[in-house]
Structure formats: C-alpha cells, structure tokens
Amino acid sequence: MNKQDKIYVAGHTGLVGSGIVNELKKQGYTNLVLRTHGELDLTDQKAVEVFLGEEKPDYVIVAAGLVGGIKANSAAPADFYYINMQIANNVIWSSFKYEVKKLLYLGSACMYPRDCAQPMKEKMILSGYPESTNEGYALAKIAGTRLCTYLQRQYGVDYISAIPANAYGLGDCFDPDKSHVIPALIAKYQKAKEQCVDKVILWGTGNAKREFINTRDIASASVFLMNNYSNEETINIGTDEEVTIKELSEMIKKIVGFEGCIECDISKPDGMPRRILDSTKIHELGWKASVPLCEGLEELYKDYMGKRDA
C-alpha cells in the first residue's frame, strides 16, 4: 500500500478497528475512508454497494462485527450469526464488485473446533465443531474467511483473511452484558474493591487457557499483512503466550489492588478448554507481537479509571 492510497476500514469505531486506524495514521497513511454505523449500516446490502461504488477505495480492512463474551453469545446466537454473516457478505462481495485491489478480513480464534489440537494451526479450520457457546459467531466468521479464499481461488483477487487471538486493549467494552473476560474482570474487581467485599466470583473452573493479544499488536499485524501476505489460506495473529483464566484473574486483581479472594463458580461454563494459536507463519514472515500482557492490562486499567473519573 502506498501512503496516499484510499483505504476503507470497516468498523473503525470498534476495539480492533480503532487500533488499525491509529496504526495506519502512525505509519503515515493519510487517505482513510471511515463511516460510523449511523452513517452506514453494513448489514444493508444496497447501502454498502452504493457506498463502495461511490468511494471506490483501493484497499479495504474489515474489522466490523457484532462481538461479545460467552454470556452475550449464548443469549443471542441468531443475532451473532446473522449480523456477522451480512457484514462479511456485503463488504467482501461489494469490494470485489467494485474492484478493490486488496482486502483483509479479520476472523476470530473461536472459529477453531472446540477439541482442536493445540496450538491451533490454520489448516485445522473446519476439522471439527466449534465451541457451542459461540457457535453462531464462529460459523459467520468462518464463512467470511472462506469467501476471501474462494474469491482468490476463482477470480485471482488478492483478498486475504487473518485470525487474531483473543483481543483486548484501549477502547474495550465494559458493559457487563457484552464484555469479554478482561474488561469484565477489571470492572468486577474495581467494583468489589470500592464496595469492600471480601470475594469475587469467577465464572467456570478458572482452568481454561487463553492467549490474549493487545489491539496495538493486531493493528500492526494487519498493516503488515496488507503489505506482505497474499496467500489464500487464512493466517494466525498470536503471541505464543497463554495463561489460565485463574492466572489472568490474579494478574488483574493485583493491578486493581483488590485484596479479597477469588471463588470459582463451576456451575458456569469455561468455554473452550484451551485456545492458543500457532503463529509460526506470520512470525516467519517477520512480524512479532510487542505488547506484554501485564503492560497491556495496566494500560487498559488506567484508561478505564481515567474515563470513569472524567
């Protein structure tokens, strides 16, 4: 990509999309096309076609989608499936129709089968059933990545897809009904600290293992892939580091300064027992994550408290 090329970032106000916009600006890309959900509903096929037909961006990065944790995914699988399918189909196909030079679609680590061998290699997609608690979301994301593969295979266009590990970072959602585990735990520990309670309840056994990646790293990887990757097979974006949910909880407890105890509610689901990506391919291309988990957690906590106090 040249610095003056027109780049459309779908979902630029979201957690990952905002990080990508910041990274593009940091690297000197100045011709960015951005639309909020209020300005452009990506589930509206006609509206997306009109927009891309008028703007004709050179490059497109798709970071838009309906996202949420186990609670939200379990409660609304139809919404997560339909909305994410619509966004993928509309943006990717209309980009192809209006001859976008290159497109990157961002998937999710939950696309991998629940009982997938670890660490998860790209070739393992579709080798088994996804985790039931986020099946709708996973199937929609799989479909988006496959559409990129099929378009490249059939028409030779440079449309690629990538699978980041569990994302967290500045701009994260702290709504208790929608948040992922890291912002949910930060908010939970802060509330417990302020209310002087003696314990915090952790969903599940605490033994599930996860790999977390800061959105700054996802953003740098996304720009890197737009400039250095053109294969039809999706590619993982990970850190090669994992923690149990209990270990993560202890880290956040320390950062927040909560002095009570942690109690696991084993009646609640763990989700997938272990989920870590095999990121050998992107590492061999020359990209590596740079934000340590502890540093990213401290940064997010400070940002959360700063916005609460504002």
Side-chain angles (χ1 to χ4, degrees):
M1 295 187 299
N2 295 316
K3 303 299 183 183
Q4 69 276 11
D5 287 332
K6 183 182 284 190
I7 304 169
Y8 169 51
V9 180
H12 79 282
T13 61
L15 174 61
V16 174
S18 59
I20 290 172
V21 168
N22 290 337
E23 182 66 22
L24 286 167
K25 290 179 178 178
K26 178 183 173 183
Q27 293 192 29
Y29 294 93
T30 57
N31 193 5
L32 304 184
V33 181
L34 309 172
R35 294 290 187 278
T36 64
H37 176 70
E39 295 169 328
L40 176 63
D41 180 359
L42 296 179
T43 67
D44 184 331
Q45 182 180 18
K46 184 62 177 179
V48 173
E49 284 195 0
V50 169
F51 164 71
L52 288 171
E54 292 177 348
E55 288 292 340
K56 291 185 170 58
D58 299 298
Y59 298 94
V60 171
I61 300 175
V62 187
L66 177 64
V67 297
I70 288 179
K71 183 178 180 181
N73 271 272
S74 298
D79 292 352
F80 279 88
Y81 176 81
Y82 176 78
I83 290 172
N84 287 297
M85 279 289 291
Q86 289 294 98
I87 290 172
N89 285 334
N90 292 343
V91 178
I92 296 171
W93 194 262
S94 291
S95 293
F96 168 66
K97 181 177 180 179
Y98 293 106
E99 301 181 338
V100 167
K101 294 178 184 177
K102 185 165 187 171
L103 177 145
L104 168 63
Y105 178 80
L106 292 171
S108 166
C110 72
M111 291 163 49
Y112 284 99
R114 171 182 168 80
D115 298 319
C116 193
Q118 304 288 326
M120 301 180 293
K121 299 179 183 293
E122 291 90 348
K123 66 181 180 181
M124 295 172 181
I125 296 292
L126 293 177
S127 65
Y129 291 103
E131 161 61 37
S132 61
T133 54
N134 53 35
E135 181 182 289
Y137 178 73
L139 291 174
K141 285 294 183 178
I142 290 170
T145 60
R146 298 308 292 176
L147 181 55
C148 290
T149 295
Y150 300 148
L151 284 169
Q152 184 167 161
R153 188 178 300 169
Q154 183 175 348
Y155 295 104
V157 293
D158 195 2
Y159 287 15
I160 62 174
S161 62
I163 301 176
N166 289 34
Y168 77 98
L170 298 180
D172 228 321
C173 174
F174 284 86
D175 183 328
D177 293 323
K178 300 177 182 179
S179 61
H180 287 96
V181 62
I182 286 178
L185 286 176
I186 287 175
K188 183 177 287 190
Y189 278 118
Q190 182 61 33
K191 181 178 180 180
K193 177 183 174 182
E194 292 171 353
Q195 295 181 349
C196 299
V197 300
D198 59 0
K199 68 179 178 182
V200 161
I201 305 298
L202 185 66
W203 270 36
T205 65
N207 295 325
K209 293 182 178 180
R210 293 291 182 269
E211 175 187 21
F212 295 96
I213 185 168
N214 192 276
T215 49
R216 283 189 280 140
D217 281 329
I218 297 176
S220 69
S222 297
V223 178
F224 176 86
L225 291 172
M226 289 293 282
N227 287 312
N228 294 280
Y229 187 73
S230 295
N231 197 287
E232 71 172 37
E233 185 179 63
T234 192
I235 187 168
N236 289 333
I237 303 173
T239 64
D240 286 346
E241 297 180 1
E242 63 181 337
V243 293
T244 67
I245 297 300
K246 182 68 179 295
E247 290 168 340
L248 173 70
S249 187
E250 292 284 3
M251 292 173 70
I252 293 174
K253 172 185 171 182
K254 182 178 180 180
I255 290 169
V256 172
F258 174 67
E259 297 181 353
C261 66
I262 300 171
E263 183 177 303
C264 294
D265 181 358
I266 61 174
S267 69
K268 296 294 192 295
D270 275 333
M272 198 167 169
R274 186 186 182 208
R275 190 160 66 202
I276 182 171
L277 302 177
D278 183 331
S279 298
T280 301
K281 289 186 177 181
I282 194 170
H283 293 165
E284 288 179 343
L285 288 174
W287 179 87
K288 290 283 182 69
S290 63
V291 183
L293 180 57
C294 189
E295 176 186 315
L297 293 175
E298 290 175 349
E299 178 184 59
L300 181 56
Y301 176 63
K302 289 178 182 177
D303 183 67
Y304 171 64
M305 293 303 294
K307 289 178 178 176
R308 288 178 80 234
D309 296 338

